[in-house]
Amino acid sequence: MNEKKLFLLDAYALIFRAYYAFIKNPRYNSKGLNTSAILGFTNTLYDILKKEKPTHIAVVFDPPPPNFRHKMFPKYKANRDATPEDILKSVPHIKEVIKAFNISIYEVEGYEADDTIGTLAKKAEKAGFTTYMMTPDKDYGQLVSENIFMYKPKRGGNEAEILGKKEICEKYDIENPEQVIDILAIWGDASDNIPGIPGVGEKTSMMLIKKYKSTDGIYEHINELKGKQKENVENSRELVKLSKELVTIALNVPVDLNENELTRNEPNYKKLEELFKEFDFRALSQRIIPGKQQQNVMQGSLFGSPKTEILATEVFSDFKDINSSEHNYLLIETEEDIEKLVGKLEKTDEFCFDTETTGTDPHLAELIGIAFSYRKYEAYYVPIPENKNSAQKIIEKFKPVLENKSIKKIGQNIKYDIIILANHGINVTGNVFDTMLAHYILEPAKRHNLNILAETYLNYSPVSIETLIGKKGKNQLSMRSVPVKKVKEYAGEDADITLQLKEILKKKLEEDQELKKLAETIEFPLVYVLADMERSGVKISKEKLNNYETELTSKIEDTEKKIYKVAGTQFNIASPKQLGIILFEKLKIIDNPKKTKTGQYATGEDELQKLKDKHEIINLILDYRGYAKLLSTYVRALPELINPKTGKIHTSYNQAVTVTGRLSSTKPNLQNIPIRTEDGRKIREAFIPSDNNQVLFSADYSQIELRIMAHLSQDKNMLGAFNNNEDIHASTASKIFNVKIEEVDKDMRSKAKSANFGIIYGISAFGLSQNLNIPRSEAKDLIDGYFSNYPDVKGYMDKSIKKGRDNESVRTLYGRKRQLLNINSGNSFVRSEDERNAINAPIQGTAADIIKIAMINCQNRLKKENIKANMILQVHDELVFDVHKDDLNKTQIIVTEEMENAAKLTVELIVDSNSGSNWLEAH
């Protein structure tokens, strides 16, 4: 007989968990609905069904208050913050998803979800079920028995945790799970406003129940307690009695255990597909909705009538696709057809083009075809042969139109196509319109790939690349091995759909002239600059990295020995579990160490930074980790990324990733090359000029974000400090600590620097105290002192938040828009995040805009004056150039002028520059 396996899901606990998992990067559908909670919950539900295969399942919701606990104690949960509006909007949709899975929903008026789950679990136990209560809520521990388990969902990379009777008793050091009630009664719960006993926390409550077995036992032996603890316990007798009633999960909820109702059934896939379409859950739809079909695809002969061929494609019934849409995608193979196509392209004002290649790295991939489109529903695909000479002859025929400055070029992530063609001697010119970037400018927090844009704006689902070449992995095919007629349909569709999207996104940009200007003067022109930078690449000295590897390995071994000596034993330093035991059980460096959700000691860097002054081993551990990270992330990794064709590293600069407007880089991420430590800075020593006739030149904005803050706030003291060329951090320290600027010491300046930059990011007294490792009261005094000396900075912050609330968005000086959809939320946590963004986004975004303008202007002028210098790196506020030694002085003049004049602010922009035989010397 099969085991009866029942899963009972605590809906709101899982919904809140899902929502906050996406809080830094929320998900929105095309209609602006925050789908974070829906997506997270649906993923969790599907994973349970797939992995645990329950025979029976239900989802249990809390009904609207009040419940019986409110009647007992009106202040119950009174301290709770308002539920975020996005969660309230999500709940009806989540219930629709649950119903589409054909899963029962329980919601009993007057009782909380844990009461309903508890009642069902106990009834199910009697009926022969093994029950799993899926929740992270510690209160459920009291219900655990031989056949009832807590199932804590996975979080932060950790697997799900199943807690039975043994685990609960070990966790709380008790004999019976029901004693959890007594622990909670005296511990209390601030979030639920359950009183407990003042001064008694988790550890003390566990110790008291271990010794006296129950709350009654404590009061029977109250004379054994001493001092303040005895007084608090004695004075809290009635509160403990009330708390115990509040934390006890009711097992008498009027709900029946209906096995048929709980039985797991086949989902209603049609309904799920409709919902997933509404929420824009494309990946989830592909995972969950079964079935693929083969359909007819329309194919056209050159400038002629269409005919059909078979092409397998994934079907989304509510979207149009290549099978259901009339189109004319033509194969261009003969010289005559190529000449006709070139002639047609020459007569256009704009056209879309898209390259098909053998891979995603434009510096290694081979070109196998180009698709063109200049009219909706029509495209032309030109296959490129493998033979290099034959390939080049075909490519050259398109050189005149691709290099025609008067014809606008349209593409999706067109930078990739520009680099591919540049590898074949084609220098694409003319204005560009990149649909990926246009959407990024309009909706920076959303995703911008072609499939998503097509489904969102055209109700169209493009052919998946995996349909042609298979899923990622060793068995994935190259596009060269796919029949050319199939590639023609795929490539033609890409060009056609991109052209259609261009018209829609262009109109949307025209509705907001600031965003239109941002696109046309900054983001689109920057594409060419980044393409040139990526093609130039940067040379790395393997020899220097090898030497540094030897040095770092030696440092790691020496530090390891010191750690073992201080610890008095050998252990795996890289194991958080073993390290925690050494620090907090063997060395006992603090009395009450923080633990992770899984019960292990917290040994992350943030936690260890707080303990730096507690024991000498902490700094040794931090040093060890720092050396190990440098070794694995950079010293050993960078040589592996050297391109075999060019002998250089070619990072990819991403314009459409960060919501702030900052560029990011991948493969490798050069934005994270460490600069704060001497060991980290030595990585830069391996970045060298391209040859002996060249030198590296670096130009870096000096405190650009603080200068922008001075401009935006118009604070007289801050403006005065910059205009008088004072050290801004020393000047701030002088004002905060009320000393002459020459009397400011290193510690004062350091604290003022943290305050200066912290204020930009809306830092709190608690955050500043953590950063500086000082008491919160001292941090508060620092912030108060800061605002009293820079009152208009506080005024700017208040105005920014008000503007954010009024518009649910803020802008940079160049019109870049940051949406703040939660700034008017009744929930303080999500509201405060958007309030910080309201302060910071105009500053950080303006800094991003300015350096992009500088990059464009520097590039244009260096080319115009025929200077032998290539821009090769952009890292935050710094630009690095590979310069011929003869042109170094000219480059320094040009770059400094263009960077300092990229924006006209109330304070001057200042650039620090230097040159050298490597990046470290130049910086």
Side-chain angles (χ1 to χ4, degrees), residues 472-497:
K472 285 182 182 178
K474 61 180 181 180
N475 295 322
Q476 191 176 56
L477 302 174
S478 162
M479 283 288 272
R480 277 217 188 274
S481 61
V482 178
V484 69
K485 289 183 179 180
K486 284 188 177 182
V487 179
K488 176 263 298 179
E489 288 291 306
Y490 172 80
E493 181 187 62
D494 272 1
D496 173 25
I497 293 302

Side-chain angles (χ1 to χ4, degrees), residues 293-528:
Q293 301 174 14
Q294 287 190 336
Q295 297 286 336
N296 287 336
V297 177
M298 301 303 292
Q299 169 198 314
S301 59
L302 181 58
F303 309 123
S305 58
K307 60 182 182 179
T308 63
E309 69 172 9
I310 297 297
L311 178 66
T313 183
E314 192 139 352
V315 173
F316 293 86
S317 58
D318 291 327
F319 290 121
K320 294 180 291 182
D321 61 17
I322 201 165
N323 307 304
S324 59
S325 302
E326 190 173 333
H327 60 276
N328 197 21
Y329 300 159
L330 308 170
L331 194 58
I332 309 297
E333 292 184 290
T334 68
E335 260 192 67
E336 182 186 353
D337 287 345
I338 290 172
E339 294 295 340
K340 281 184 183 179
L341 177 58
V342 169
K344 286 179 174 289
L345 294 174
E346 282 177 334
K347 294 172 185 174
T348 64
D349 294 326
E350 59 183 27
F351 62 79
C352 176
F353 75 96
D354 178 62
T355 60
E356 295 303 329
T357 62
T358 56
T360 56
D361 184 340
H363 312 288
L364 293 173
E366 296 174 16
L367 179 63
I368 64 170
I370 312 173
F372 296 91
S373 180
Y374 60 88
R375 270 201 298 256
K376 287 198 297 185
Y377 315 122
E378 189 176 287
Y380 307 87
Y381 178 67
V382 184
I384 305 296
E386 197 164 357
N387 180 278
K388 289 184 179 177
N389 290 331
S390 302
Q392 196 60 35
K393 284 179 184 177
I394 294 172
I395 296 165
E396 289 287 335
K397 291 187 181 295
F398 292 93
K399 188 179 178 77
V401 291
L402 288 165
E403 293 189 350
N404 189 327
K405 290 183 179 180
S406 64
I407 302 175
K408 181 180 284 185
K409 313 303 186 300
I410 300 161
Q412 164 79 9
N413 189 20
I414 201 170
K415 171 165 64 75
Y416 177 91
D417 306 292
I418 289 169
I419 294 171
I420 289 291
L421 292 173
N423 296 339
H424 293 272
I426 307 292
N427 296 309
V428 178
T429 56
N431 292 333
V432 300
F433 189 104
D434 190 316
T435 49
M436 178 184 76
L437 294 180
H439 188 254
Y440 165 70
I441 291 163
L442 290 162
E443 302 280 2
K446 293 185 181 177
R447 292 176 295 165
H448 319 290
N449 71 56
L450 186 66
N451 284 23
I452 286 173
L453 299 185
E455 291 179 11
T456 301
Y457 294 104
L458 302 173
N459 196 39
Y460 185 97
S461 182
V463 175
S464 164
I465 182 67
E466 292 181 350
T467 303
L468 276 70
I469 62 174
K471 293 187 176 181
K472 285 182 182 178
K474 61 180 181 180
N475 295 322
Q476 191 176 56
L477 302 174
S478 162
M479 283 288 272
R480 277 217 188 274
S481 61
V482 178
V484 69
K485 289 183 179 180
K486 284 188 177 182
V487 179
K488 176 263 298 179
E489 288 291 306
Y490 172 80
E493 181 187 62
D494 272 1
D496 173 25
I497 293 302
T498 301
L499 184 71
Q500 293 182 48
L501 285 168
K502 181 259 177 184
E503 288 305 313
I504 293 169
L505 296 172
K506 179 174 177 282
K507 286 176 184 174
K508 287 189 172 292
L509 284 173
E510 286 169 349
E511 291 169 7
D512 188 322
Q513 287 299 307
E514 285 185 277
L515 294 184
K516 180 174 182 274
K517 186 178 179 182
L518 178 73
E520 292 177 348
T521 62
I522 299 180
E523 294 296 351
F524 291 166
L526 187 68
V527 169
Y528 285 120

Side-chain angles (χ1 to χ4, degrees), residues 512 799-812 815-824 834 837-838 841-842:
D512 188 322
K799 286 174 188 173
S800 289
I801 292 171
K802 184 181 184 305
K803 191 180 290 184
R805 286 194 180 124
D806 291 344
N807 302 313
E808 290 197 334
S809 65
V810 288
R811 292 187 187 249
T812 69
R816 187 181 302 279
K817 191 175 181 181
R818 177 74 183 271
Q819 290 185 315
L820 305 169
L821 301 180
N822 291 314
I823 196 163
N824 291 310
D834 267 2
N837 289 334

Side-chain angles (χ1 to χ4, degrees), residues 9 29 63 77 133 184 200 265 350 365 392 398 606-607 610 698 706 717 765 855 874 922:
L9 279 59
N29 72 352
K77 292 191 175 179
M133 307 173 295
L184 296 174
V200 173
N265 294 303
E350 59 183 27
Q392 196 60 35
F398 292 93
D606 289 346
E607 289 304 314
K610 298 173 192 174
S698 167
L706 288 175
N717 286 338
M855 291 169 74
Q874 187 274 337

Side-chain angles (χ1 to χ4, degrees), residues 268-280:
N268 180 342
Y269 288 115
K270 187 174 186 302
K271 180 63 178 174
L272 280 176
E273 193 172 3
E274 290 172 5
L275 291 170
F276 291 164
K277 182 197 170 189
E278 180 186 346
F279 305 142
D280 297 340

